[in-house]
Amino acid sequence: MTKHIFVTGGVVSSLGKGLTSASIGMLLERRGLSIRMQKLDPYINVDPGTMSPYQHGEVYVLDDGSETDLDLGHYERFTNSPLTRDANYTTGQIYQSVIEKERRGEFLGQTVQVIPHITNEIKDVIHKLAAPDVDVVITEIGGTVGDIESQPFLEAIRQFALDVGKENCLYIHLTLVPYLKAAGEMKTKPTQHSVGQMRQIGIQPDILVCRTEKPISADERAKIALFCNVPTRAVIEERDKEFSVYEVPLSLVENELDKLIVDRLGLPAGPLELDPWRELLHRMRNPDHEISIAVVGKYAGHRDAYKSIYESLEHAGITNKAQVRIRPVLSSDVEREGPERLLSGYDGILVPGGFGERGVEGKVDAVRYARERGIPFLGICLGMQCAVIEFARNVVGLDRAHSTEFDKDTPDPVICLLDEQRSITDKGGTMRLGAQQAKLTAGSKSAAAYGSEAVWERHRHRYEFNNQYRQQFAANGMAFAGTSPDDSLVEIVELPDHPWFVAVQYHPEFKSKPTASHPLFAGFVGAAVRRRSQRRSEPAGDSSNEAARAEVATPDVALQEEPVHESDG
Ligand code: GLN
């Protein structure tokens, strides 16, 4: 029978519930268990696809085309749990489904209520992941205990143990144990209050994972255990990790969390096999090279907006034994100040995906700079579209070329909507989404990097390369290194004469793992490492560029954007 672990959070948001859940999943997998991961999000959007990445972090896309919470990225990077639409539900989806049932007459005669109808729907989506070959389902509840919108989810997981038996469920509560400098003490009261709130709704957490800056002493641990009604060994310290998030599972192992879970649920687990993970961290700690990459995007102050891209760069660093220093650069700043000032000295330039016009010209400028100076370049989605626009304007000579997303009346719509997208008016879930196949050109950089000529990659966009321009572009030196199998859609463009200029219409960042970096990221970072070594061996060097780079301060975009939503988890 499938067992269930519920991960909830208290005290404050952004404690890293997603990472902790992913780490737990990874540890159980490495003890030979089969797991499934799931996140239930209390917000009302049907999915995060319509939310600004600045507010809620990136939208993470799965193979099946569902647009999900960024925590699912952690799940995929840490575990092999197959993720589908069933791995992420929101309040919006739950209510939508209940309301549709009501309209179909499925509740005829009844008053439809939060309890039991909404809570039943929530329990159903948890049950969906249980199966004879699944040992454990880990369900993370977004938000923080005490949020009004989290209540139906917490009530549902409370009921769940009554339905399937208390012995088959485990409640893990993540809290914060702050250190108060003025008092020179760790404070356990917020944790006590948070557990108190859980108990008020009828859930006694079995295990407390305590996020902390400093080690928790034996006394403090005993105090937390006593006041929160758990055994001392169930108070798990999760100290802040400055080096890498990939250390989190190891620190949980030090505190024997895996053992505790296995014992409490009576799981048929084998010994813990952590060698590959330790090896990974060893490689990260002992790099042979150091490079710097500029990520020229619309958002710079918020790491989560490009989460998977930053992670993928780090993975590629592991593969190349390089420490990758990532510098987010605001494309609107490049537009204002010019790429010469803001982008000199980097070993690679990446232009990520995005929507909306702000900063697009800065991205186009960044592409030009990378192309003209032979700086390794990786363009992703809008990044590829900008590469096409730049090439059209500055190489092909189509001065006013643009994407119709930004200029409806451009004389040269090199990026445009396909007919199937033209009639769509709804914004949610209507893009070209999910995994699709691409065929690659033999001998291209991409085919060499993948070591394959057929790949599946995830999409999330509406606009495409306009095929009317293919011949003209090819005649001017752009290679169409990847297309859809029927050749109708351009998937990859390359510049064969450039050290590494690869731009893709899809999102490779959603398929990179720390243990298996994505081939295109690995190729890009590899090219950046080569460029750095070459520059080092050049007699004159370009120290002026280094100096210019040192002047670049991390732009603070917080003032230009809407505030981050507190209860977003
Ligand atoms: N806005 C562009 C489109 O819809 C690019 C999308 C993206 O980068 N994800 O096609």
Side-chain angles (χ1 to χ4, degrees), residues 353-355 380-382 385 405 460-463 507:
F355 297 83
I380 294 178
C381 209
L382 180 60
Q385 299 176 354
E405 181 178 2
R460 182 172 186 256
H461 57 104
R462 289 183 205 284
Y463 292 79
H507 289 274

Side-chain angles (χ1 to χ4, degrees), residues 3-5 21-37 78-79 135-138 170 172 249 253 257-263 265 267-274:
K3 308 279 175 145
H4 290 268
I5 295 177
S21 305
S23 301
I24 292 170
M26 175 249 182
L27 292 176
L28 295 180
E29 260 187 6
R30 282 172 194 267
R31 295 202 55 171
L33 298 165
S34 153
I35 62 144
R36 293 290 181 275
M37 310 266 329
F78 279 72
T79 79
D135 296 310
V136 188
V137 173
I138 300 171
L170 195 69
I172 300 183
V253 169
L257 179 59
D258 60 312
K259 200 165 172 309
L260 184 61
I261 293 172
V262 165
D263 290 352
L265 287 174
L267 293 166
L272 188 61
E273 177 41 86
L274 269 186

Side-chain angles (χ1 to χ4, degrees), residues 79-270:
T79 79
N80 299 312
S81 163
L83 298 184
T84 66
R85 219 159 270 293
D86 287 333
N88 193 195
Y89 282 90
T90 67
T91 293
Q93 271 173 73
I94 298 286
Y95 272 78
Q96 195 176 38
S97 166
V98 170
I99 291 169
E100 279 165 8
K101 285 181 187 167
E102 187 274 334
R103 292 289 83 181
R104 286 198 300 270
E106 288 183 29
F107 305 119
L108 267 196
Q110 294 177 37
T111 308
V112 181
Q113 294 179 298
V114 173
I115 303 173
H117 300 93
I118 294 297
T119 47
N120 282 349
E121 188 74 24
I122 296 171
K123 289 192 286 183
D124 286 349
V125 305
I126 300 170
H127 277 300
K128 265 193 196 170
L129 291 189
D133 61 339
V134 176
D135 296 310
V136 188
V137 173
I138 300 171
T139 302
E140 175 191 345
I141 310 293
T144 308
V145 58
D147 295 347
I148 290 177
E149 54 193 18
S150 297
Q151 278 187 8
F153 291 95
L154 296 173
E155 168 61 14
I157 64 169
R158 179 193 70 78
Q159 294 173 14
F160 202 91
L162 282 183
D163 298 349
V164 303
K166 178 84 191 75
E167 68 286 4
N168 297 313
C169 295
L170 195 69
Y171 296 96
I172 300 183
H173 190 57
L174 188 66
T175 76
L176 177 71
V177 179
Y179 174 77
L180 274 199
K181 232 192 248 156
E185 278 180 357
M186 310 277 290
K187 289 292 174 193
T188 65
K189 194 74 82 190
T191 296
Q192 295 175 37
H193 280 306
S194 178
V195 172
Q197 265 182 317
M198 290 291 289
R199 288 162 68 181
Q200 239 172 43
I201 38 186
I203 300 174
Q204 165 65 54
D206 298 294
I207 296 174
L208 301 176
V209 175
C210 303
R211 279 294 305 272
T212 123
E213 233 178 291
K214 298 190 182 277
I216 301 178
S217 71
D219 280 355
E220 282 146 359
R221 195 179 286 240
K223 186 172 171 191
I224 294 172
L226 181 66
F227 281 94
C228 298
N229 194 29
V230 297
T232 318
R233 77 180 274 235
V235 179
I236 307 288
E237 172 190 296
E238 189 186 309
R239 200 120 43 91
D240 295 354
K241 293 282 165 277
E242 262 152 41
F243 177 64
S244 164
V245 295
Y246 299 117
E247 290 178 297
V248 173
L250 296 182
S251 86
L252 296 177
V253 169
E254 272 166 37
N255 287 279
E256 299 192 335
L257 179 59
D258 60 312
K259 200 165 172 309
L260 184 61
I261 293 172
V262 165
D263 290 352
R264 291 294 290 270
L265 287 174
L267 293 166

